[in-house]
Amino acid sequence: MDIPENARAVLETLETAGHEAWCVGGCVRDALLDGGRLPGRTPEDWDVTTSALPEETLALFGPRGSPTGLKHGTVTVKTPGGPVEVTTYRVDGAYLNHRRPESVTFTRSIEEDLGRRDFTVNAMALNLRGELRDPFGGRGDLERGILRCVGDPDRRFQEDALRILRGLRFSAVLGLEIEKGTAEAVRRNREGLRDIAPERIQVEFFKLLPGKRAAEVLRGWPEVFGVFWPELLAMVGFDQRNRHHCHDVWEHTLHALDAVPGDLVLRCTMLLHDVGKPACFTLDEAGVGHFYGHPAVSRALADGMLRRLRCAAGFRETVVRLVEWHDRDIPRTDKSIRRALRILGEEDLRRLILVKRADNLGQAPAFRDRQRELDRAEEILDRLLAEDTCFSLRQLAVNGRDLLALGLSGPAVGAALEALLEKVVDGALPNKREALLEALKKDTERV
């Protein structure tokens, strides 16, 4: 395992001053994965743990050291290759609200420091000479593809309930199977997630969703995710009673989620696209199930769920728009595709096509012929874009200055531009400056 130069320089400085120093945690885990039989991950950040007390670390690095977490022994060292966090060996005191230790005690023992960590695969340390300190068998767990808590799993999750989601995230992203005792403790302690700030849940959950095994993890642990998003639980086992569907609502959702790329917007959209179905369920006289109006209900539920996790407005608006549009028919004609481009833009229209593909792939095999229709929609979209088809005000052959020159002012300028764009998109007018200005003059004269 090659330690990058910036982390190596920090380790050398600490060791030269007579202190122990090790790279620790996720960087060591990912470096081992990179050389093992599980999918490799290049470490992003290299964290260092040391026997040096925080004030000793600060004295060593001078102006390059910043006391970014002095209470917990953390000093951030600036290096040409980026910042390196250096934390003193410590033992955590009692935890408050399933999240943070009330106090920490510094120690001179690397084993004691590793013993406070969450999972064995994160409780390994590596020094400059390539020596691996692994008192809890993390390397063996990695090789076997197992995720296991350090020590008593109930204690680990009661100390910090966010570790529950971290564990599920590691399973989804790294492909690790959660060891039986750890899995049982996840279920027993899941209610502790209620004490975790929504923003922290969002970070872990949104790292999980793009994982290759996200659908499998969601399938195995719905009651955990239901702690913060109880709306998901109504989908589990909900029989759709419709020949178009060979799965219940939850299984359809997971199959659809698995059918889109590991992009967070797409994965979140697929998870939420049918969340409103249980509330819309009706049976007709023949005993066939229907979900009239479910896209709008799903949109409203999704909006509330994303707001509860304090999601950024742009992300939330994109997801709920795709949820609302996921079942809307867009005829495979130039006019309809231009209209969709006008409303959604190219990026979201391409996303919508992926959403519709995945939704269809989650249905019964006999009804997956919609893929050909989506192929046709994509062909039209590609052609229209290649022809530089106008679908936005930026592409319109006239602008606000042209309209001001004709005597329009204030809100009338924007309204006139929008009206011209609608006519161009609908094919009623060519996107030619002379034609647009002539049409505008005629409209103005009629008024």
Side-chain angles (χ1 to χ4, degrees):
M1 284 181 285
D2 293 327
I3 298 173
E5 184 55 39
N6 62 328
R8 181 173 289 276
V10 170
L11 293 172
E12 288 173 348
T13 299
L14 288 162
E15 285 197 356
T16 300
H19 304 292
E20 293 180 9
W22 304 75
C23 291
V24 69
C27 60
V28 179
R29 177 201 69 223
D30 288 350
L32 285 169
L33 280 171
D34 198 39
R37 59 184 181 82
L38 290 174
R41 283 165 56 88
T42 302
E44 295 180 3
D45 301 308
W46 287 78
D47 295 330
V48 169
T49 188
T50 180
S51 60
L53 295 173
E55 54 268 27
E56 294 173 320
T57 302
L58 284 170
L60 271 176
F61 290 98
R64 292 195 293 135
S66 301
T68 48
L70 214 53
K71 178 182 176 182
H72 296 98
T74 301
V75 173
T76 299
V77 178
K78 296 177 182 176
T79 76
V84 175
E85 283 196 354
V86 180
T87 302
T88 301
Y89 301 160
R90 75 183 200 217
V91 177
D92 293 338
Y95 277 69
L96 294 175
N97 299 321
H98 301 292
R99 186 65 190 104
R100 293 283 186 189
E102 185 176 11
S103 62
V104 301
T105 302
F106 300 132
T107 176
R108 298 290 184 175
S109 167
I110 180 64
E111 282 78 10
E112 284 188 336
D113 182 85
L114 295 175
R116 70 179 174 81
R117 295 175 184 266
D118 51 8
F119 303 103
T120 62
V121 298
N122 295 330
M124 297 181 285
L126 179 73
N127 68 14
L128 281 170
R129 290 158 296 284
E131 178 188 351
L132 184 69
R133 192 61 62 89
D134 180 20
F136 304 103
R139 185 170 197 166
D141 284 347
L142 266 187
E143 290 173 351
R144 291 188 296 273
I146 292 172
L147 189 72
R148 180 166 55 92
C149 279
V150 172
D152 178 11
D154 285 308
R155 178 181 177 184
R156 293 285 87 90
F157 295 140
Q158 287 163 16
E159 287 172 341
D160 181 356
L162 192 62
R163 288 170 172 166
I164 292 170
L165 278 186
R166 279 171 57 81
L168 296 180
R169 189 245 295 183
F170 292 141
S171 182
V173 174
L174 302 180
L176 301 174
E177 292 290 339
I178 300 178
E179 175 266 338
K180 181 181 178 183
T182 299
E184 291 171 349
V186 164
R187 298 189 199 280
R188 281 194 299 269
N189 293 281
R190 65 184 184 275
E191 291 296 323
L193 288 169
R194 298 191 189 281
D195 293 328
I196 303 300
E199 294 86 350
R200 300 306 300 270
I201 288 177
Q202 181 212 123
V203 169
E204 287 298 332
F205 186 48
F206 283 4
K207 287 180 180 179
L208 180 159
L209 281 180
K212 290 184 178 180
R213 296 178 69 240
E216 187 176 341
V217 170
L218 287 161
R219 180 178 291 113
W221 310 88
E223 68 274 37
V224 175
F225 302 106
V227 172
F228 56 89
W229 272 0
E231 294 89 344
L232 299 179
L233 299 178
M235 294 192 283
V236 179
F238 197 102
D239 189 349
Q240 304 202 61
R241 305 281 292 275
N242 190 295
R243 65 194 181 97
H244 287 85
H245 288 281
C246 55
H247 303 297
D248 64 41
V249 178
W250 183 236
E251 274 301 312
H252 162 74
T253 294
L254 298 182
H255 278 78
L257 182 145
D258 213 22
V260 292
D263 170 82
L264 181 58
V265 168
L266 293 173
R267 288 287 176 88
C268 199
T269 297
M270 299 323 299
L271 180 59
L272 302 177
H273 79 286
D274 278 350
V275 70
K277 270 191 169 182
C280 298
F281 181 66
T282 59
L283 273 178
D284 64 21
E285 294 178 354
V288 177
H290 300 281
F291 300 93
Y292 300 119
H294 82 272
V297 175
S298 295
R299 183 197 190 285
L301 289 174
D303 186 70
M305 295 162 75
L306 295 170
R307 286 178 186 274
R308 288 207 306 275
L309 289 193
R310 310 288 195 270
C311 295
F315 174 85
R316 173 176 50 80
E317 290 165 2
T318 297
V319 170
V320 300
R321 182 165 55 247
L322 291 172
V323 167
E324 184 177 22
W325 277 67
H326 83 270
D327 201 40
R328 187 177 299 187
D329 182 49
I330 301 175
R332 273 64 61 195
T333 65
D334 285 18
K335 184 175 181 178
S336 293
I337 299 297
R338 284 198 303 265
R339 284 180 172 177
L341 270 171
R342 165 79 178 105
I343 298 170
L344 299 175
E346 179 188 356
E347 184 177 22
D348 279 356
L349 181 51
R350 291 196 183 278
R351 283 171 169 159
L352 181 63
I353 291 172
L354 290 172
V355 165
K356 286 178 169 292
R357 285 192 188 280
D359 190 23
N360 182 234
L361 290 172
Q363 295 180 342
F367 298 96
R368 293 178 186 170
D369 55 349
R370 201 169 296 173
Q371 299 300 313
R372 290 193 295 273
E373 297 174 5
L374 293 166
D375 289 341
R376 177 61 180 148
E378 204 157 26
E379 289 168 4
I380 295 171
L381 172 60
D382 290 339
R383 176 172 53 77
L384 290 176
L385 291 171
E387 294 170 353
D388 197 25
T389 296
C390 177
F391 61 88
S392 68
L393 289 175
R394 178 179 54 83
Q395 298 168 297
L396 202 61
V398 297
N399 57 36
R401 290 189 298 275
D402 296 317
L403 274 60
L404 289 170
L406 290 178
L408 276 71
S409 62
V413 173
L417 287 172
E418 290 288 349
L420 289 173
L421 179 59
E422 287 297 327
K423 290 179 180 179
V424 170
V425 169
D426 283 346
L429 281 174
N431 188 30
K432 303 292 184 182
R433 187 172 186 275
E434 296 78 10
L436 296 176
L437 291 176
E438 183 62 30
L440 185 61
K441 289 176 184 176
K442 290 180 179 178
D443 288 343
T444 304
E445 289 170 0
R446 282 196 292 270
V447 173

